[in-house]
Amino acid sequence: MGSRWRDMLMDYGNVLGDKSSRSSSAYFSVNGDLMDKRNEDVQLRQTLEVFFRPLFQKFVYGGEKIACHDLRSILREPEYRDRLPPDKVHELADLCDFNQGRAVKYEEFAKIVLGKHDDNSSFGGSDTGLHGADRDMGRTKGALRVVCTNTTQQLMVDDYLFEYKCLPPPFFMIGVTIAQIIVYIVFTSQDGWYTSALDSIPNANHTNVLMYYPNRRHEAWRYVSYWLLHQGFIDLIFNVIIQLVLGVPLEIMFKWWRLAIVWILGVLAGSLGQSLTDHYVGLAGAGGGAYAIMAAHCLTLWQERHHLNDDPTESRTKKILCGLPLRVTLMVIILIPQIALAVYRRWFLDPINIRVGIAAHIGGILAGITLGPAYLKDIKRYPWQEGSGLFSLFTCLIFIGGTVIFNIIYKGYPAEIYN
């Protein structure tokens, strides 16, 4: 009996010993992790002092400061970027993007890298010597950088937005969109607010002063004004998405007049192409202009594909959201239903309704492919500084002139209506 109790006590002691040994080993493991973390912090501090502090002292801002734009450029260089933790590189890049035009102190930079940054620090706070308007402009430029990512080479985007003053603002595409919405509302109200999502044109009759009709070709403004009308609000929504999501960033980057040339010539190419290929069908919608800027952008994206998403400071999530695959996917999602609707309206719509041609989409695509590389690719060069820019514009003008002559001399159109 006594031996049994003695054996049980010995077993219990062994269990306690195991627990104490495990606890001791866990303690030393945690302590070792803390030591490793402390050593990493010490090494990182030494790296900052040796490689980064001299950079802050080199720039003449006083108090060891560096402009966010300059820090952004430094982070792109492997010599410096590889010495910092990747997550801190992404964090610094985002902070620089949303604080353009401002300076950051070395102390604040070190706090961010070492994980001791707080929201009340000088990077995001008011200890920068800048007025509220300047801080707001810095945040605006950061948002614009996200919006304009991959509209062209990213280095070109950053350099341009650093000097961007938002004067004038992107008024062309926004103005076009507002005009389309107003016209749709006005004409729909004249029809007693009856409209279909797919196949109705507000106030659709031959007295409509905006729509292109083949029997009113003598009213030359119709070759341009048809973009104000839309065949159903679904078509309007698609074009508004293209113009705002794609057109506005392109207008910010390449100036309003470049985008206006591509868009207007796309509209003209659409109506003239319709008059050339489909003599008895009218035309409405902004497909010519919208598809022109979309085609131009897609072509320049393909030509610049090796220079897109090449910023090593960007996080993986940001690269995916602003990347080329997602952008192309969204374009395809818009293109497929819109083209399907256009085909339905042209060949399968009830004859009681006014059919609308599909040539505007094709004409806009051809205009965009012709003009895109010269007008929506390189912000630093004017289109007329390269032979391709003048040639593409001359090609479009030749097409317009030829189709105008064809409209005058061809006798196969329906009889003109003059009342």
Side-chain angles (χ1 to χ4, degrees):
M1 185 71 178
S3 62
R4 181 184 300 177
W5 279 104
R6 189 166 49 251
D7 293 339
M8 292 176 62
L9 289 173
M10 290 180 65
D11 292 339
Y12 184 68
N14 291 332
V15 172
L16 290 176
D18 292 340
K19 287 185 177 180
S20 62
S21 63
R22 285 197 299 270
S23 176
S24 177
S25 63
Y27 169 77
F28 285 113
S29 175
V30 172
N31 199 29
D33 292 341
L34 292 175
M35 291 295 294
D36 292 341
K37 182 66 169 62
R38 190 174 301 169
N39 291 335
E40 290 177 2
D41 289 345
V42 171
Q43 293 176 0
L44 192 54
R45 285 180 182 274
Q46 292 175 349
T47 300
L48 296 179
E49 289 291 328
V50 173
F51 294 98
F52 289 91
R53 190 159 206 157
L55 297 175
F56 283 76
Q57 295 171 343
K58 181 174 65 174
F59 289 90
V60 186
Y61 287 97
E64 294 186 338
K65 289 183 179 180
I66 189 173
C68 291
H69 180 71
D70 295 325
L71 179 58
R72 193 73 166 79
S73 300
I74 290 171
L75 292 175
R76 289 196 183 96
E77 300 180 13
E79 177 185 358
Y80 298 103
R81 184 182 67 252
D82 294 342
R83 300 181 186 277
L84 300 176
D87 59 325
K88 298 303 178 183
V89 173
H90 301 328
E91 182 180 354
L92 286 167
D94 290 339
L95 287 171
C96 289
D97 290 340
F98 284 91
N99 290 274
Q100 295 188 31
R102 304 172 66 185
V104 57
K105 296 179 180 179
Y106 171 77
E107 295 177 359
E108 187 57 33
F109 168 79
K111 286 181 180 179
I112 294 172
V113 175
L114 296 172
K116 299 179 180 180
H117 177 65
D118 57 68
D119 294 336
N120 296 322
S121 59
S122 61
F123 210 135
S126 58
D127 187 20
T128 56
L130 295 177
H131 299 291
D134 296 321
R135 292 196 297 272
D136 293 340
M137 178 57 71
R139 297 188 185 97
T140 301
K141 288 184 177 181
L144 290 179
R145 186 184 185 278
V146 176
V147 171
C148 297
T149 294
N150 288 334
T151 51
T152 185
Q153 298 182 26
Q154 194 57 42
L155 289 176
M156 200 178 295
V157 172
D158 292 341
D159 291 340
Y160 175 77
L161 291 180
F162 179 68
E163 304 292 340
Y164 183 66
K165 303 299 183 184
C166 202
L167 292 173
F171 64 90
F172 179 74
M173 276 289 92
I174 295 176
V176 164
T177 302
I178 293 174
Q180 291 169 343
I181 295 173
I182 291 175
V183 168
Y184 189 83
I185 293 174
V186 170
F187 277 67
T188 302
S189 65
Q190 292 177 359
D191 270 0
W193 295 103
Y194 168 77
T195 181
S196 169
L198 301 178
D199 58 11
S200 66
I201 300 176
N203 197 21
N205 53 63
H206 290 279
T207 61
N208 189 306
V209 297
L210 298 177
M211 185 174 175
Y212 165 78
Y213 295 107
N215 52 11
R216 286 188 176 273
R217 290 174 296 106
H218 62 282
E219 298 172 343
W221 69 83
R222 294 179 180 273
Y223 287 94
V224 180
S225 63
Y226 74 94
W227 64 268
L228 285 164
L229 289 175
H230 287 83
Q231 193 171 15
F233 60 82
I234 296 296
D235 196 35
L236 174 64
I237 290 173
F238 278 135
N239 285 329
V240 166
I241 291 174
I242 295 173
Q243 290 165 179
L244 295 183
V245 176
L246 183 60
V248 170
L250 291 175
E251 184 177 349
I252 292 173
M253 282 302 304
F254 295 98
K255 306 291 187 181
W256 70 270
W257 59 269
R258 291 176 183 250
L259 193 74
I261 290 174
V262 176
W263 190 86
I264 292 172
L265 289 179
V267 170
L268 277 173
S271 58
L272 292 171
Q274 176 69 22
S275 69
L276 192 67
T277 59
D278 206 355
H279 304 154
Y280 289 86
V281 178
L283 194 61
Y291 277 56
I293 60 176
M294 184 183 291
H297 183 52
C298 287
L299 180 59
T300 55
L301 283 181
W302 173 256
Q303 293 176 339
E304 299 285 0
R305 63 189 182 279
H306 298 300
H307 302 285
L308 302 177
N309 268 354
D310 61 348
D311 189 347
T313 64
E314 297 284 7
S315 64
R316 182 177 179 83
T317 302
K318 198 171 183 180
K319 284 186 176 182
I320 293 174
L321 294 177
C322 300
L324 181 60
L326 180 60
R327 184 168 301 187
V328 173
T329 301
L330 293 176
M331 290 183 189
V332 171
I333 291 174
I334 294 175
L335 280 173
I336 291 177
Q338 196 170 24
I339 292 177
L341 286 175
V343 172
Y344 160 74
R345 291 163 180 159
R346 171 59 185 88
W347 284 284
F348 301 99
L349 189 62
D350 187 342
I352 296 176
N353 295 289
I354 296 179
R355 292 185 175 180
V356 173
I358 194 175
H361 300 81
I362 300 173
I365 291 173
L366 293 177
I369 292 174
T370 304
L371 297 169
Y375 286 83
L376 299 180
K377 181 179 178 181
D378 190 350
I379 186 62
K380 296 182 179 180
R381 295 181 66 85
Y382 290 108
W384 53 82
Q385 290 180 306
E386 297 182 0
S388 60
L390 294 176
F391 177 77
S392 61
L393 182 60
F394 181 73
T395 301
C396 287
L397 294 178
I398 288 293
F399 169 77
I400 292 172
T403 51
V404 169
I405 294 174
F406 181 86
N407 273 262
I408 295 173
I409 64 176
Y410 183 66
K411 304 302 181 182
Y413 289 105
E416 291 279 348
I417 298 176
Y418 293 95
N419 55 0

